[in-house]
Amino acid sequence: MTSSATIRVQLEATLANRIPSALTPAKKVLRPVAPTGVAAVDEVLKGGLPVGAITEMIGRECSGRTSLALSFLANLTQSAKVCAWIDVADVFNPESAAAAGVDLSRLLWVRCGVLADKLQRATKEQFTLPDKYLVSPPTKKGLHGGGYSPHPRGEVKGLSGAVSTFLREEMIAPRCAEPQPRVRREPEVFEPNQRPVPKKWGGHTTPRKPWSRIEQALQSTDLILQGGGFSAIVLDMGSIAPEHASRVQLATWFRYRASAEKTQVSFVLLTQHSCAKSSAELVLRLYPGDPLNDDATVFTGFEHRVEVARRRFTQTPSNAVPLRKPPQNANVASWSTRSTWAGVR
Amino acid sequence: MTKPAELYACLYAKEFPAQTLLRLRLELRNRPCVVMEGELPLQQVCSLNTKGRLLGIAHGMTSVEVDTFPSVAVLTRSKKEEASTKTALLECARAFSPHVEDLSEDRAFLSAIDIAGTEKLLGPAETLARNLLHRVKALGIAACATVSSNRNAAISLAKGLPPRTAVQIIPRGDEATTLAPLPLRVLGLTEEHEETFSLWGIRTLGMLAALPEGELIARMGQEGKRLRQSARGDLPHLFQPMEPAFILEERIELDSPVEELPSLLFVVNIMLDQLILRARARVLALASVTVTLTLEDKETHTCTVRSALPTNDKQLWVKLLHLDLNAHPYQAAILSLTLSAEPGSTSKVQLGLFSPQLPEPMQLDVTLARIRAIVGDECVGSPVLNDTHQRKGFRMEPFTVSANSTPVISSNRFPSASRQLRSAENVSVTLQSQRPKAFVFRDKRYLVERIYGPWLTGGEWWNPTFWSLEQWDLVARAQDSTLLSCCLVRDLMQDRWQMAALYD
């Protein structure tokens, strides 16, 4: 009788071509980390964000995702590494990045969906006056002071035809006593108003589907990941609604994870809701912070809060259930950001 | 230091118009080809390849006569292509000596090379001639080379070499003997002289050389003396070396208008081969490649691609050109194609053991070109801040990886980042005593918790009281306790509120 261990080995050997080590749990990998530059966060993350893996930063607008990502990039670019920012919604502000200390010459910024917007705007703004409002081209001077014909005879050419068009049948009909054949009148056609109806709020509320932007971003990310050499890639889907962001297939994130591992890139994903699922090595959930109340007249900044929502390989590989509750890791950190005009306190 | 004895090599390529055209048309090399010259319908054969000659085609045949032969490729003579091929050949000759003289004729390429004193460096004359021919063959041209201490003797011999001989050396003092069996046509006689000599029964150079000098001058004048000296191989000459500029350019005029990109790239591939060969001969690499297309609608379409480092990697250039032509498509069929390149020094980058990982420059070029094709030209690069207070205060510059870094000084340790809404979204705002109290943004109603502002910007600079923009920083909360910290802008001219940025 074959033991379960033998069956397991046999199964794994059979499936080895398709699924390597199918029944063995993945080995724990100790990844190198790159510091984010925020001491409190680095302490919770035990050094920083993992290199060669996907880190997902989840949070709503104004939760501090961008500040944390920029701080991470600033640290990397200052140590002469190059990074990429794939900007899905074209909201990246280079001035903020420069203020955070990012060396902009070492940052590749890919703006998605700008071209389509531009084209759309160009077609909207196209406006041409009808011909009747334009100055008519100068008439060609003929032999006898005006007219197109070199001979006076030519000036009356086609006159009879032109006159007959004025004398339409309905114009003549009432004057004539004899019965006239009924002329079928062409029904008048009213063209629909081509001008778009203005919206309720006088402007658009981003009705454009962002899928083309996302597709551009995913293709660009693929290319940059395959090329290698970048130390960090930030895919900024933070302004994309969750219903669109979650349409990205899980296979894409799985592929990114494999590429990031191969090229040793820190892949940072900014989203509103979790997208990468199990492909993400580290998931950070950021909460909308409390605004700082240092000054009554100017906006001074935020107190942000971050929680480690998921981290791979944190469980101890033990089947024994301890009697006591094991010590829990601190997984919440907070830090404050200050607006550039607030000054140092 | 004694002056080395005179020695000249002569490079001669006959049927030059045909060879030029077949050089970049590899598929026609195994077929009989003729090159026609002149205005329609009076076109005549001006040049042909060996297969055409074996078929029975001869110079001067009309197009009607050529049509009687089966499967003959008929091409039209292109002087521009000949000029670029000639430049390539002269450049090749200059690799062996700086003194090169161009003596090309209408239908043949001919150049004399002063190779005196090159023996120690480049080997004996025969080796040099064979190396020269080897290089010329790489350019796609079949030629022959002769070496003599008299330039004119070398030229005459080159013109009269038997078909299968590629190299011949005339030993010093043996000029007359070597030239003796050659026919008179190698001297390029005028019709009058040709007739006179045929009447006299003179057919070879040896017979001309044997004529008494005095009597010949009495009958033909000084021209007779010159011809006799040429036949003996002792005509003095004046060598006029030229200084050709190093121009990497190849041109091809297509036989029929081409529209498809793959067929165009096939031609570009062959031309790049030639450019790289020429650049490599000077230990250089291509820094940028420009394609100029002459289109059917008389327009020209130019595209230039550059790589981060000068390189001779043909596949990289083809890929970059492919992506660029895809991104900027031409509007009509292509009639001719010029490929020019700027040479750059071949550079090796020394990487450090502890230097951080950086993208490989060549690979990065292709990646960036691919991304440009996806998102557009102006949407990829590194941002550079402009010294301005305007809202779009940056410009995009091509992304390059430089080894030296510029120190960045951050004034603030953790600044609040902002996300700029470039197409500003309109917001409906409820005011209370001229200050926003609530607003609706993206179909969600927010109640303002904190408000900072307004800061006035823009307007007529000559009017101290008029402002056109108001800027407010708001912290607002929605009913589902979503916090929003944003920068609202009020356009006072149009009384419109817009969301400019979100603090994140």
Side-chain angles (χ1 to χ4, degrees), chain A residues 248-300:
Chain A
V248 180
Q249 290 179 349
L250 285 179
T252 308
W253 305 120
F254 189 79
R255 195 173 66 243
Y256 286 175
R257 193 196 77 171
S259 299
E261 192 168 5
K262 196 174 157 195
T263 50
Q264 287 298 297
V265 178
S266 298
F267 189 92
V268 180
L269 178 65
L270 309 186
T271 51
Q272 294 191 4
H273 278 259
S274 173
C275 291
K277 307 291 177 193
S278 64
S279 297
E281 175 106 3
L282 176 71
V283 178
L284 300 179
R285 192 176 297 281
L286 288 98
Y287 294 99
D290 303 318
L292 297 178
N293 202 9
D294 293 346
D295 208 318
T297 51
V298 288
F299 170 69
T300 45

Short mmCIF file of all heavy atoms in Angstrom, two decimals, chain A residues 248-300:
data_model
loop_
_atom_site.label_atom_id
_atom_site.label_comp_id
_atom_site.label_asym_id
_atom_site.label_seq_id
_atom_site.Cartn_x
_atom_site.Cartn_y
_atom_site.Cartn_z
N VAL A 248 -9.49 44.87 -14.21
CA VAL A 248 -8.19 44.35 -14.64
C VAL A 248 -8.09 42.89 -14.19
O VAL A 248 -8.35 42.58 -13.03
CB VAL A 248 -7.04 45.17 -14.02
CG1 VAL A 248 -5.70 44.63 -14.47
CG2 VAL A 248 -7.18 46.62 -14.41
N GLN A 249 -7.71 42.04 -15.13
CA GLN A 249 -7.71 40.61 -14.82
C GLN A 249 -6.64 40.25 -13.79
O GLN A 249 -5.57 40.87 -13.77
CB GLN A 249 -7.46 39.82 -16.09
CG GLN A 249 -8.63 39.88 -17.03
CD GLN A 249 -8.37 39.10 -18.28
OE1 GLN A 249 -7.25 38.69 -18.53
NE2 GLN A 249 -9.39 38.92 -19.09
N LEU A 250 -6.93 39.27 -13.00
CA LEU A 250 -5.97 38.85 -11.98
C LEU A 250 -4.69 38.31 -12.62
O LEU A 250 -3.61 38.41 -12.06
CB LEU A 250 -6.60 37.78 -11.09
CG LEU A 250 -7.62 38.30 -10.08
CD1 LEU A 250 -8.18 37.15 -9.29
CD2 LEU A 250 -6.99 39.32 -9.16
N ALA A 251 -4.85 37.76 -13.82
CA ALA A 251 -3.67 37.23 -14.52
C ALA A 251 -2.66 38.33 -14.78
O ALA A 251 -1.45 38.09 -14.78
CB ALA A 251 -4.11 36.60 -15.84
N THR A 252 -3.15 39.56 -15.00
CA THR A 252 -2.24 40.68 -15.24
C THR A 252 -1.37 40.93 -14.02
O THR A 252 -0.15 41.08 -14.13
CB THR A 252 -3.06 41.95 -15.54
OG1 THR A 252 -3.97 41.65 -16.56
CG2 THR A 252 -2.18 43.11 -15.94
N TRP A 253 -2.01 40.95 -12.85
CA TRP A 253 -1.23 41.18 -11.62
C TRP A 253 -0.26 40.03 -11.37
O TRP A 253 0.86 40.25 -10.91
CB TRP A 253 -2.17 41.35 -10.42
CG TRP A 253 -3.18 42.44 -10.62
CD1 TRP A 253 -4.53 42.31 -10.61
CD2 TRP A 253 -2.91 43.82 -10.90
NE1 TRP A 253 -5.13 43.51 -10.86
CE2 TRP A 253 -4.16 44.46 -11.04
CE3 TRP A 253 -1.75 44.57 -11.06
CZ2 TRP A 253 -4.28 45.81 -11.33
CZ3 TRP A 253 -1.88 45.92 -11.33
CH2 TRP A 253 -3.13 46.53 -11.47
N PHE A 254 -0.70 38.85 -11.69
CA PHE A 254 0.17 37.68 -11.51
C PHE A 254 1.41 37.81 -12.40
O PHE A 254 2.53 37.55 -11.98
CB PHE A 254 -0.62 36.40 -11.84
CG PHE A 254 0.12 35.17 -11.47
CD1 PHE A 254 0.16 34.74 -10.15
CD2 PHE A 254 0.80 34.44 -12.43
CE1 PHE A 254 0.87 33.61 -9.81
CE2 PHE A 254 1.51 33.31 -12.08
CZ PHE A 254 1.53 32.90 -10.76
N ARG A 255 1.15 38.27 -13.63
CA ARG A 255 2.27 38.45 -14.57
C ARG A 255 3.21 39.54 -14.06
O ARG A 255 4.43 39.41 -14.12
CB ARG A 255 1.69 38.83 -15.93
CG ARG A 255 2.67 38.71 -17.06
CD ARG A 255 2.02 38.92 -18.40
NE ARG A 255 1.52 40.25 -18.60
CZ ARG A 255 0.26 40.58 -18.77
NH1 ARG A 255 -0.66 39.64 -18.75
NH2 ARG A 255 -0.12 41.82 -18.96
N TYR A 256 2.62 40.62 -13.54
CA TYR A 256 3.45 41.71 -13.02
C TYR A 256 4.29 41.23 -11.85
O TYR A 256 5.44 41.62 -11.70
CB TYR A 256 2.57 42.88 -12.56
CG TYR A 256 1.97 43.69 -13.69
CD1 TYR A 256 1.06 44.71 -13.44
CD2 TYR A 256 2.32 43.44 -15.01
CE1 TYR A 256 0.50 45.45 -14.47
CE2 TYR A 256 1.76 44.16 -16.04
CZ TYR A 256 0.85 45.17 -15.76
OH TYR A 256 0.31 45.89 -16.77
N ARG A 257 3.68 40.39 -11.04
CA ARG A 257 4.41 39.90 -9.87
C ARG A 257 5.64 39.10 -10.32
O ARG A 257 6.74 39.30 -9.81
CB ARG A 257 3.51 39.02 -9.02
CG ARG A 257 4.07 38.72 -7.67
CD ARG A 257 3.36 37.57 -7.02
NE ARG A 257 3.81 36.30 -7.60
CZ ARG A 257 3.49 35.12 -7.13
NH1 ARG A 257 2.71 35.04 -6.08
NH2 ARG A 257 3.91 34.02 -7.69
N ALA A 258 5.42 38.25 -11.32
CA ALA A 258 6.54 37.43 -11.82
C ALA A 258 7.61 38.32 -12.44
O ALA A 258 8.82 38.12 -12.21
CB ALA A 258 6.01 36.43 -12.85
N SER A 259 7.18 39.32 -13.22
CA SER A 259 8.16 40.21 -13.86
C SER A 259 8.91 41.02 -12.82
O SER A 259 10.13 41.22 -12.93
CB SER A 259 7.46 41.17 -14.81
OG SER A 259 6.80 40.47 -15.81
N ALA A 260 8.19 41.50 -11.82
CA ALA A 260 8.82 42.32 -10.78
C ALA A 260 9.86 41.49 -10.03
O ALA A 260 10.94 41.98 -9.71
CB ALA A 260 7.77 42.85 -9.81
N GLU A 261 9.55 40.24 -9.81
CA GLU A 261 10.48 39.37 -9.10
C GLU A 261 11.73 39.12 -9.95
O GLU A 261 12.84 39.09 -9.46
CB GLU A 261 9.77 38.05 -8.78
CG GLU A 261 10.56 37.21 -7.81
CD GLU A 261 9.74 36.06 -7.27
OE1 GLU A 261 8.59 35.89 -7.73
OE2 GLU A 261 10.25 35.33 -6.43
N LYS A 262 11.47 38.98 -11.24
CA LYS A 262 12.58 38.68 -12.16
C LYS A 262 13.52 39.89 -12.29
O LYS A 262 14.73 39.74 -12.34
CB LYS A 262 12.00 38.31 -13.52
CG LYS A 262 12.96 37.64 -14.45
CD LYS A 262 12.22 37.19 -15.68
CE LYS A 262 13.16 37.04 -16.84
NZ LYS A 262 12.42 36.95 -18.10
N THR A 263 12.93 41.07 -12.42
CA THR A 263 13.76 42.26 -12.65
C THR A 263 14.05 43.03 -11.37
O THR A 263 14.65 44.10 -11.42
CB THR A 263 13.07 43.20 -13.65
OG1 THR A 263 11.71 43.40 -13.23
CG2 THR A 263 13.06 42.63 -15.04
N GLN A 264 13.61 42.49 -10.23
CA GLN A 264 13.88 43.10 -8.92
C GLN A 264 13.41 44.57 -8.86
O GLN A 264 14.17 45.49 -8.57
CB GLN A 264 15.37 43.00 -8.57
CG GLN A 264 15.79 41.59 -8.19
CD GLN A 264 15.06 41.09 -6.92
OE1 GLN A 264 15.22 41.65 -5.87
NE2 GLN A 264 14.26 40.05 -7.07
N VAL A 265 12.14 44.73 -9.19
CA VAL A 265 11.53 46.06 -9.16
C VAL A 265 10.57 46.11 -7.98
O VAL A 265 9.85 45.15 -7.72
CB VAL A 265 10.73 46.29 -10.47
CG1 VAL A 265 10.06 47.65 -10.44
CG2 VAL A 265 11.64 46.19 -11.66
N SER A 266 10.55 47.25 -7.29
CA SER A 266 9.51 47.46 -6.27
C SER A 266 8.30 48.00 -7.01
O SER A 266 8.34 49.13 -7.50
CB SER A 266 9.96 48.47 -5.24
OG SER A 266 11.08 48.01 -4.59
N PHE A 267 7.29 47.21 -7.11
CA PHE A 267 6.10 47.62 -7.86
C PHE A 267 5.06 48.13 -6.87
O PHE A 267 4.61 47.39 -6.00
CB PHE A 267 5.56 46.43 -8.65
CG PHE A 267 4.49 46.78 -9.62
CD1 PHE A 267 4.80 47.08 -10.93
CD2 PHE A 267 3.17 46.84 -9.24
CE1 PHE A 267 3.82 47.43 -11.84
CE2 PHE A 267 2.17 47.17 -10.14
CZ PHE A 267 2.50 47.47 -11.44
N VAL A 268 4.72 49.41 -6.99
CA VAL A 268 3.76 50.02 -6.05
C VAL A 268 2.48 50.33 -6.82
O VAL A 268 2.52 50.94 -7.89
CB VAL A 268 4.33 51.30 -5.44
CG1 VAL A 268 3.34 51.91 -4.47
CG2 VAL A 268 5.63 51.01 -4.73
N LEU A 269 1.37 49.86 -6.27
CA LEU A 269 0.09 50.05 -6.92
C LEU A 269 -0.78 50.92 -6.02
O LEU A 269 -1.01 50.59 -4.86
CB LEU A 269 -0.54 48.67 -7.14
CG LEU A 269 -1.91 48.60 -7.75
CD1 LEU A 269 -1.87 49.13 -9.17
CD2 LEU A 269 -2.40 47.16 -7.77
N LEU A 270 -1.23 52.04 -6.56
CA LEU A 270 -2.11 52.93 -5.79
C LEU A 270 -3.53 52.73 -6.28
O LEU A 270 -3.81 52.94 -7.46
CB LEU A 270 -1.72 54.40 -5.99
CG LEU A 270 -0.27 54.79 -5.79
CD1 LEU A 270 -0.12 56.30 -5.89
CD2 LEU A 270 0.24 54.32 -4.45
N THR A 271 -4.40 52.28 -5.40
CA THR A 271 -5.80 52.05 -5.80
C THR A 271 -6.75 52.51 -4.70
O THR A 271 -6.33 52.85 -3.60
CB THR A 271 -6.08 50.55 -6.04
OG1 THR A 271 -5.61 49.82 -4.90
CG2 THR A 271 -5.42 50.04 -7.27
N GLN A 272 -8.03 52.49 -5.03
CA GLN A 272 -9.03 52.82 -4.02
C GLN A 272 -9.51 51.55 -3.31
O GLN A 272 -9.89 51.59 -2.15
CB GLN A 272 -10.22 53.53 -4.67
CG GLN A 272 -9.80 54.88 -5.23
CD GLN A 272 -10.97 55.73 -5.65
OE1 GLN A 272 -12.11 55.36 -5.47
NE2 GLN A 272 -10.67 56.88 -6.21
N HIS A 273 -9.55 50.45 -4.05
CA HIS A 273 -9.91 49.16 -3.45
C HIS A 273 -8.91 48.12 -3.90
O HIS A 273 -8.28 48.28 -4.94
CB HIS A 273 -11.32 48.76 -3.87
CG HIS A 273 -12.38 49.41 -3.06
ND1 HIS A 273 -13.03 48.78 -2.04
CD2 HIS A 273 -12.86 50.67 -3.11
CE1 HIS A 273 -13.89 49.62 -1.49
NE2 HIS A 273 -13.81 50.77 -2.13
N SER A 274 -8.80 47.05 -3.17
CA SER A 274 -7.80 46.04 -3.47
C SER A 274 -8.06 45.42 -4.84
O SER A 274 -9.16 45.01 -5.16
CB SER A 274 -7.87 44.96 -2.39
OG SER A 274 -7.03 43.91 -2.77
N CYS A 275 -7.00 45.39 -5.67
CA CYS A 275 -7.13 44.84 -7.03
C CYS A 275 -6.24 43.62 -7.20
O CYS A 275 -6.64 42.63 -7.80
CB CYS A 275 -6.68 45.86 -8.07
SG CYS A 275 -7.76 47.25 -8.21
N ALA A 276 -5.02 43.73 -6.72
CA ALA A 276 -4.03 42.70 -7.04
C ALA A 276 -4.24 41.41 -6.26
O ALA A 276 -3.70 40.37 -6.63
CB ALA A 276 -2.64 43.23 -6.78
N LYS A 277 -5.04 41.48 -5.18
CA LYS A 277 -5.37 40.29 -4.37
C LYS A 277 -4.11 39.54 -3.95
O LYS A 277 -3.20 40.16 -3.43
CB LYS A 277 -6.32 39.37 -5.15
CG LYS A 277 -7.57 40.06 -5.66
CD LYS A 277 -8.50 40.46 -4.56
CE LYS A 277 -9.70 41.22 -5.11
NZ LYS A 277 -10.46 41.89 -4.10
N SER A 278 -4.04 38.26 -4.26
CA SER A 278 -2.94 37.46 -3.71
C SER A 278 -1.61 37.73 -4.39
O SER A 278 -0.58 37.27 -3.92
CB SER A 278 -3.29 35.98 -3.82
OG SER A 278 -3.38 35.64 -5.18
N SER A 279 -1.62 38.46 -5.49
CA SER A 279 -0.34 38.77 -6.14
C SER A 279 0.43 39.82 -5.36
O SER A 279 1.63 39.98 -5.56
CB SER A 279 -0.59 39.27 -7.56
OG SER A 279 -1.19 38.28 -8.32
N ALA A 280 -0.26 40.56 -4.51
CA ALA A 280 0.42 41.60 -3.75
C ALA A 280 1.14 40.99 -2.56
O ALA A 280 0.56 40.21 -1.81
CB ALA A 280 -0.59 42.64 -3.29
N GLU A 281 2.39 41.34 -2.43
CA GLU A 281 3.18 40.83 -1.30
C GLU A 281 2.79 41.58 -0.02
O GLU A 281 2.76 41.02 1.05
CB GLU A 281 4.66 41.07 -1.63
CG GLU A 281 5.61 40.72 -0.53
CD GLU A 281 6.35 39.44 -0.80
OE1 GLU A 281 6.15 38.89 -1.89
OE2 GLU A 281 7.10 38.99 0.06
N LEU A 282 2.50 42.85 -0.20
CA LEU A 282 2.21 43.70 0.95
C LEU A 282 1.03 44.60 0.58
O LEU A 282 1.02 45.19 -0.49
CB LEU A 282 3.45 44.54 1.26
CG LEU A 282 3.33 45.57 2.38
CD1 LEU A 282 3.24 44.88 3.72
CD2 LEU A 282 4.55 46.48 2.36
N VAL A 283 0.04 44.64 1.45
CA VAL A 283 -1.11 45.51 1.21
C VAL A 283 -1.19 46.51 2.36
O VAL A 283 -1.26 46.13 3.52
CB VAL A 283 -2.42 44.71 1.13
CG1 VAL A 283 -3.60 45.65 0.93
CG2 VAL A 283 -2.36 43.71 -0.02
N LEU A 284 -1.11 47.79 2.02
CA LEU A 284 -1.20 48.84 3.02
C LEU A 284 -2.53 49.54 2.84
O LEU A 284 -2.88 49.92 1.72
CB LEU A 284 -0.07 49.87 2.83
CG LEU A 284 1.35 49.36 2.94
CD1 LEU A 284 2.34 50.49 2.70
CD2 LEU A 284 1.59 48.77 4.32
N ARG A 285 -3.26 49.66 3.92
CA ARG A 285 -4.53 50.38 3.84
C ARG A 285 -4.34 51.74 4.51
O ARG A 285 -3.91 51.81 5.65
CB ARG A 285 -5.64 49.59 4.55
CG ARG A 285 -7.03 50.11 4.28
CD ARG A 285 -8.05 49.21 4.93
NE ARG A 285 -8.05 47.87 4.39
CZ ARG A 285 -8.64 47.51 3.24
NH1 ARG A 285 -9.25 48.42 2.51
NH2 ARG A 285 -8.61 46.27 2.82
N LEU A 286 -4.63 52.78 3.76
CA LEU A 286 -4.45 54.12 4.29
C LEU A 286 -5.81 54.73 4.58
O LEU A 286 -6.75 54.56 3.79
CB LEU A 286 -3.69 55.00 3.30
CG LEU A 286 -2.20 54.64 3.18
CD1 LEU A 286 -1.97 53.76 1.98
CD2 LEU A 286 -1.36 55.88 3.10
N TYR A 287 -5.89 55.42 5.70
CA TYR A 287 -7.16 56.01 6.11
C TYR A 287 -7.09 57.53 5.98
O TYR A 287 -6.02 58.11 6.20
CB TYR A 287 -7.46 55.63 7.56
CG TYR A 287 -7.70 54.15 7.71
CD1 TYR A 287 -6.69 53.31 8.16
CD2 TYR A 287 -8.92 53.58 7.36
CE1 TYR A 287 -6.88 51.95 8.27
CE2 TYR A 287 -9.12 52.22 7.47
CZ TYR A 287 -8.10 51.41 7.92
OH TYR A 287 -8.30 50.06 8.03
N PRO A 288 -8.22 58.13 5.63
CA PRO A 288 -8.22 59.59 5.53
C PRO A 288 -7.79 60.19 6.85
O PRO A 288 -8.32 59.82 7.91
CB PRO A 288 -9.67 59.94 5.20
CG PRO A 288 -10.26 58.69 4.68
CD PRO A 288 -9.53 57.56 5.30
N GLY A 289 -6.81 61.06 6.79
CA GLY A 289 -6.24 61.58 8.03
C GLY A 289 -7.01 62.77 8.57
O GLY A 289 -7.95 63.26 7.95
N ASP A 290 -6.59 63.19 9.74
CA ASP A 290 -7.20 64.39 10.32
C ASP A 290 -6.39 65.60 9.90
O ASP A 290 -5.15 65.58 9.99
CB ASP A 290 -7.19 64.27 11.85
CG ASP A 290 -7.91 63.00 12.27
OD1 ASP A 290 -8.97 62.72 11.68
OD2 ASP A 290 -7.40 62.28 13.15
N PRO A 291 -7.06 66.63 9.50
CA PRO A 291 -6.30 67.82 9.10
C PRO A 291 -5.63 68.46 10.31
O PRO A 291 -6.22 68.49 11.42
CB PRO A 291 -7.37 68.73 8.50
CG PRO A 291 -8.68 68.20 8.94
CD PRO A 291 -8.49 66.76 9.25
N LEU A 292 -4.42 68.92 10.13
CA LEU A 292 -3.70 69.57 11.22
C LEU A 292 -4.32 70.94 11.46
O LEU A 292 -4.77 71.61 10.53
CB LEU A 292 -2.21 69.74 10.85
CG LEU A 292 -1.43 68.45 10.63
CD1 LEU A 292 -0.01 68.77 10.22
CD2 LEU A 292 -1.42 67.61 11.91
N ASN A 293 -4.33 71.30 12.70
CA ASN A 293 -4.99 72.55 13.06
C ASN A 293 -3.99 73.56 13.60
O ASN A 293 -4.23 74.24 14.58
CB ASN A 293 -6.09 72.25 14.09
CG ASN A 293 -7.13 73.32 14.09
OD1 ASN A 293 -7.13 74.18 13.22
ND2 ASN A 293 -8.00 73.28 15.09
N ASP A 294 -2.84 73.64 12.93
CA ASP A 294 -1.78 74.50 13.43
C ASP A 294 -2.08 75.97 13.18
O ASP A 294 -1.69 76.83 13.93
CB ASP A 294 -0.46 74.14 12.73
CG ASP A 294 0.00 72.77 13.16
OD1 ASP A 294 -0.56 72.26 14.15
OD2 ASP A 294 0.88 72.21 12.50
N ASP A 295 -2.71 76.22 12.10
CA ASP A 295 -2.88 77.60 11.68
C ASP A 295 -4.33 77.82 11.27
O ASP A 295 -4.94 76.96 10.65
CB ASP A 295 -1.95 77.88 10.50
CG ASP A 295 -1.58 79.34 10.46
OD1 ASP A 295 -2.47 80.17 10.68
OD2 ASP A 295 -0.39 79.64 10.20
N ALA A 296 -4.86 78.97 11.63
CA ALA A 296 -6.27 79.21 11.31
C ALA A 296 -6.44 79.75 9.90
O ALA A 296 -7.53 79.68 9.34
CB ALA A 296 -6.85 80.20 12.31
N THR A 297 -5.38 80.26 9.31
CA THR A 297 -5.55 80.94 8.03
C THR A 297 -5.10 80.12 6.83
O THR A 297 -5.57 80.36 5.72
CB THR A 297 -4.77 82.27 8.02
OG1 THR A 297 -3.44 81.98 8.44
CG2 THR A 297 -5.40 83.28 8.94
N VAL A 298 -4.18 79.19 7.02
CA VAL A 298 -3.72 78.39 5.87
C VAL A 298 -3.85 76.91 6.18
O VAL A 298 -3.76 76.49 7.34
CB VAL A 298 -2.25 78.69 5.47
CG1 VAL A 298 -2.14 80.04 4.81
CG2 VAL A 298 -1.33 78.58 6.65
N PHE A 299 -4.01 76.18 5.11
CA PHE A 299 -4.08 74.72 5.23
C PHE A 299 -2.68 74.20 5.49
O PHE A 299 -1.77 74.44 4.70
CB PHE A 299 -4.65 74.17 3.91
CG PHE A 299 -4.55 72.69 3.79
CD1 PHE A 299 -5.32 71.87 4.61
CD2 PHE A 299 -3.71 72.10 2.86
CE1 PHE A 299 -5.24 70.51 4.50
CE2 PHE A 299 -3.63 70.73 2.75
CZ PHE A 299 -4.41 69.93 3.56
N THR A 300 -2.49 73.51 6.60
CA THR A 300 -1.12 73.15 6.99
C THR A 300 -0.76 71.69 6.75
O THR A 300 0.40 71.36 6.64
CB THR A 300 -0.88 73.44 8.48
OG1 THR A 300 -2.00 72.96 9.20
CG2 THR A 300 -0.70 74.92 8.72
#
